[in-house]
């Protein structure tokens, strides 16, 4: 069974609610009825409701960029999984390298958030990836293995079925340096073999593993043609409708070729 391709846009800390609604409207107008692939928009918290209103009658899904591992209570500034579910969020990006590097998120924290998301029927998009120094010291696979095993600790096979992985080499995020298709494929295949060791072949073959890191309309086709690359998590190129729609179209072409 071919895996359904996912194209997800991570808007990071960009777009007010009104700007986000405009961007979502432009995207939905063109690709809002397609069902060959899964398209997810991940605006900042403050734009979730406005964007949710725009995508609600389309095939486009709504994702958040982070959430608390706690269910409720005295956690100033935090947003819970139940709050996200309440406004029809279906996916949540967890363990993004910016959260790991700038806000001290460890694998243990990412694990707690992953469990909390799954308990509330949110699908985690779990990000892993090595820094340039880690790649240059030949520790890419060790780093990825530690991140995968740490984030998925105590996640049952039934729960894992809902998890999406994103391989995002830190050196490729927002830098314009994309991993070559061969480099990305090598790591994606490694991730799938790790997932197979943890959850068995059937589940690992079903898991969508997205690539993220300067994916653009001109490099997407070559990346998406790789056997273990099942979509993209897009930062910069998700901020304008033309590029994001072109990426969705690349995803749809790849989906036809892989069928
Ligand atoms: C990201 O941060 O998830 C990302 C992939 O960013 P960019 O596409 O801008 O490299």
């Amino acid at each position: 069974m071919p895996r359904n391709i996912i194209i997800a846009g991570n808007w990071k800390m960009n777009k007010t609610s009104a700007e986000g609604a405009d961007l979502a409207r432009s995207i939905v107008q063109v690709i809002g009825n397609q069902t060959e692939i899964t398209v997810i928009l991940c605006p900042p918290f403050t734009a979730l409701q406005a964007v949710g209103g725009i995508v609600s009658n389309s095939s486009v899904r709504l994702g958040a960029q982070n959430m608390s591992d706690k269910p409720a209570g005295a956690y100033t500034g935090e947003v819970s999984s139940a709050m996200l579910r309440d406004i029809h969020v279906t996916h949540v990006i967890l363990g993004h390298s910016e959260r790991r590097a700038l806000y001290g998120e460890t694998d243990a924290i990412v694990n707690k958030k992953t469990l909390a998301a799954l308990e509330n029927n949110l699908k985690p998009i779990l990000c892993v990836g090595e820094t340039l120094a880690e790649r240059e010291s030949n520790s890419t696979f060790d780093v990825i293995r530690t991140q995968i095993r740490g984030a998925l600790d105590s996640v049952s096979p039934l729960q894992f079925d809902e998890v999406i992985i994103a391989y995002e080499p830190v050196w490729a995020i927002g830098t314009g340096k994309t991993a070559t298709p061969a480099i990305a494929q090598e790591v994606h295949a490694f991730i799938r073999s790790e997932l197979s060791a943890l959850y068995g072949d059937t589940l690992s073959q079903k898991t969508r593993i997205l690539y993220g890191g300067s994916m653009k309309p001109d490099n997407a086709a070559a990346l998406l043609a790789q056997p273990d690359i099942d979509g993209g998590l897009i930062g910069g190129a998700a901020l304008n409708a033309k590029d994001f729609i072109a990426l969705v179209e690349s995803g749809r072409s790849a989906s036809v070729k892989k069928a």
Side-chain angles (χ1 to χ4, degrees):
M1 259 286 269
R3 292 177 288 270
N4 173 261
I5 285 181
I6 296 176
I7 297 290
N10 172 13
W11 295 1
K12 309 193 184 188
M13 198 172 72
N14 294 293
K15 307 289 176 193
T16 61
S17 175
E19 289 165 351
D22 281 348
L23 176 55
R25 205 172 288 113
S26 309
I27 292 168
V28 164
Q29 264 164 12
V30 182
I31 54 86
N33 288 327
Q34 72 76 37
T35 50
E36 297 101 314
I37 68 166
T38 301
V39 177
I40 310 165
L41 300 183
C42 305
F45 288 133
T46 48
L48 277 170
Q49 244 183 322
V51 171
I54 307 289
V55 303
S56 63
N57 287 321
S58 79
S59 60
V60 176
R61 305 297 174 84
L62 189 61
Q65 300 172 19
N66 182 29
M67 54 165 255
S68 172
D69 61 311
K70 306 287 192 303
Y75 301 104
T76 302
E78 293 290 298
V79 172
S80 75
S81 51
M83 291 168 180
L84 296 176
R85 286 289 305 168
D86 182 49
I87 54 168
H88 311 296
V89 170
T90 51
H91 294 73
V92 59
I93 298 171
L94 295 177
H96 191 281
S97 61
E98 286 152 15
R99 298 228 44 98
R100 293 177 190 262
L102 303 173
Y103 302 100
E105 282 197 13
T106 59
D107 288 329
I109 295 172
V110 177
N111 177 239
K112 283 189 189 166
K113 292 186 176 191
T114 303
L115 289 165
L118 291 166
E119 273 152 26
N120 275 289
N121 296 321
L122 283 173
K123 297 180 199 308
I125 302 174
L126 184 59
C127 302
V128 296
E130 81 287 4
T131 62
L132 187 59
E134 288 162 345
R135 172 157 286 271
E136 286 175 345
S137 64
N138 288 325
S139 40
T140 297
F141 292 156
D142 286 342
V143 168
I144 304 279
R145 178 184 290 117
T146 303
Q147 289 175 339
I148 294 267
R149 294 195 175 220
L152 294 174
D153 189 27
S154 306
V155 172
S156 72
L158 193 66
Q159 289 175 312
F160 176 70
D161 206 19
E162 301 297 324
V163 175
I164 298 157
I165 308 284
Y167 169 56
E168 299 208 309
V170 179
W171 47 270
I173 295 180
T175 58
K177 284 187 199 154
T178 322
T180 62
I183 289 178
Q185 166 57 28
E186 184 186 35
V187 181
H188 281 235
F190 172 77
I191 291 172
R192 205 175 299 287
S193 71
E194 276 299 300
L195 297 176
S196 172
L198 290 174
Y199 293 104
D201 238 25
T202 309
L203 272 185
S204 80
Q205 285 301 327
K206 275 176 70 183
T207 306
R208 267 78 59 82
I209 307 175
L210 316 184
Y211 170 79
S214 299
M215 195 188 249
K216 307 267 185 254
D218 63 356
N219 60 26
L223 287 159
L224 294 171
Q226 299 301 311
D228 287 294
I229 300 185
D230 309 313
L233 180 55
I234 325 288
L239 293 175
N240 77 78
K242 189 166 162 275
D243 282 355
F244 189 71
I245 290 165
L247 286 161
V248 172
E249 294 304 347
S250 286
R252 291 173 81 188
S253 309
S255 154
V256 171
K257 288 183 189 138
K258 285 180 167 178

